[in-house]
Structures are given as C-alpha cells and as structure tokens.
Amino acid sequence: MSDRVFVTRSIPESGLARIREQADCNVWPEQLPPDASRLAEISAGCTGIVTLLSDRIDAAFFDAVGPQLKVVSNFAVGYNNIDVAEATRRGIAVGNTPDVLTDATADVAVGLLLAAARCFREGIENVAQLAWKTWEPMGFIGQDLAGKTLGIVGMGRIGAATAARLRHGWNMDVVYTSRSPKPEVDDQLQARRVELNELLQISDFISVHTDLNPQTERLFDAAAFDRMKSTSVLVNTSRGGVLDQAALAAALANGQIFAAGLDVTDPEPLPSDSELHELPNCVILPHIGSGTVAARDAMAQIAADNVLLGMAGKPLRHPVNPS
Ligand code: DGY
C-alpha cells in the first residue's frame, strides 16, 4: 500500500507532481486552512504531511494522526507553528525550506524600508482618494537612507542578504544582534555585533529577521520603542509575534518612531479593529516575503523532497530536528 500524504493547501505543481508520483496525495482545495479538527481528521492515517505556517502542529495533532506519521514537511523556512520537541520525542522528522527564499524576502524587507521611510502609504492613499491637489513642498517628507545606520535583529541568511543590499546600495553602516559572532559578515559588510539596547539606540533603520521563540516573543515592546530614535524606521519580515503590536501602534501614533513596514502580523490577517490599519505611517503587506515564482517553486520542491525522504526513512534535505 502506498504512503498517504496530506498537503494542507495548494502549493506549486513542481512539488505536488513529485509527491503524486510516489504517494497517495490529498491536497486541501480551499483558500482558507482547515480548522484544527478537520486538519487532524483528514491527516489521520497519513505517513507524511506538508504543512503551512498557519497550521498548528502539536501533540494533539500527532495523537489524532496516529503513530504511522513519519514526517512533517513545512512549506516555509520558519517552523514556529510546529512543536518540534514533541515531534522529536515521537521520532517524527520535521523539515523546512531555507535558502531558496532568502533573496525574495530580503527584497521585500528593503522594499518595506523604502516605502515606510518615504511615506509611500500616505502618498498612495492620497492619490487613490483623489486628494492630490498639487506638488507639495512640505508634504510627504520622509527620511534619507544613504549613509545611515542599519540595525539587523537576527543576522541569519535573510538578515545578511538585507544588510548586503543596504550596505552596498545605500552605503549604510551595519550593526546587528545575533546569538553567535558572524566574522564573515563583519568582514564582508564591515558590520559590528552589538547588544540589542545599543542597536535600538543608534540605528536609523531596524530590520527584524529573528525567528519567533520564547526569547524573542514581544521583543519589541514599549521599552524597546522608548529607546529608538524618533526618526527611526522599523521593518519586520520575520514573525508578527516578535513585536508588541499595541506598543508599536502607540509608538507610531505619538511619534516615538517615524514609521514601520510590516510583512507579518500577529495574528494573520490583522484583525479589522487593529489600530495599525489607521496609521498612515505603517505600511502593511500580507506576508509576501517569499512570494516570487522561483522561490515558491523551489520551496515546493524542497517540501516534496523532505516529505518523500522522511517517508522513506532517509535524512531530510533540510531537517529541523535531529534525525
Ligand atoms: C517562511 O518561509 O517562514 C516565510 O515566512 C513564508 O515563506
């Protein structure tokens, strides 16, 4: 009997076709994710699951799916939606899709930084609402990028790719936080590793790339915004939970920081009553960091490889937990 795989949303055919060749593959056809009980119900009896960052994969899910489950292949580089410790305890392999979305996500980080620094949201809304009357010498005044200080919170692959763009393109000075020193980044970008408080105080632009974990949850709270420059611009392309959104809204509304650009929120989508919707200095995108044809195709291929290798009892192409 062939392995059964459940893919929790439609992903590019480059990956799906590969899974279909080797397994009995069922794909959730709807745009919105199945709720937790439906997800568990459909996944019951599967040996492999391909999940998205919006699927909560935890002990209750593993109990419902059954002991034959060998692998969870997340269609994302981040995997905070999965209880990896619990999967490891049960001998279930977990895989992710790093590297292939680094450039795509770094491009969005830079795009958001520019958009927030140069008042794109106010400008676009002004035009769309037919409120544009004349060229305004005193209107839509933003911040320069060239030669400013960039703080990268989380100097992993995407943080480094974002820093490289801004160092080489706008000659920014780069400082960063990271769990470990990054001598290659220091050399290539003349960057300096600092403590978070120093980064908050000296940076003109801050780009967040850390993963979401108990140490980074609500890392940007009211105290962090207090330390930042009133001219600073904050960009987040990692996970919404790294920011305290109420504190961010207050900081944006009272001029504690200049602007923010968010590709991620908590929850997603942002609730309709969130104050962030009302703030013209907050540019918000619907989590599109990895959204290019090449990146999503490559993610689908890695997700397929991970699930097929895991079901075959082989090491995954990109494992998250120890084998
Ligand atoms: C990821 O991969 O973790 C992104 O957030 C979505 O591509």
Side-chain angles (χ1 to χ4, degrees), residues 153-197:
V153 175
M155 189 55 102
R157 289 171 286 249
I158 300 172
T162 303
R165 283 158 170 71
L166 293 164
R167 169 84 201 155
H168 300 313
W170 283 270
N171 195 29
M172 287 197 186
D173 285 330
V174 179
V175 294
Y176 66 94
T177 63
S178 163
R179 279 186 290 258
S180 55
K182 304 274 175 186
E184 67 293 349
V185 169
D186 298 353
D187 284 354
Q188 285 164 16
L189 304 178
Q190 292 86 51
R192 188 166 62 90
R193 184 169 165 237
V194 295
E195 293 299 323
L196 180 64
N197 282 347

Side-chain angles (χ1 to χ4, degrees), residues 53 74-81 96-98 101 105 158 237-239 263-264 268 287-291 295-296 299:
L53 52 91
N74 216 32
F75 181 78
V77 63
Y79 46 84
N80 57 295
N81 57 309
N96 68 341
T97 62
L101 47 71
T105 309
I158 300 172
T237 53
S238 67
R239 287 292 180 268
D263 186 42
V264 289
E268 292 180 356
H287 203 151
I288 59 170
S290 62
R296 291 277 165 85
M299 289 167 71

Side-chain angles (χ1 to χ4, degrees), residues 288-317:
I288 59 170
S290 62
T292 67
V293 174
R296 291 277 165 85
D297 262 352
M299 289 167 71
Q301 289 176 34
I302 297 174
D305 286 348
N306 279 342
V307 79
L308 293 172
L309 288 164
M311 290 190 305
K314 296 183 181 157
L316 307 195
R317 189 165 151 198

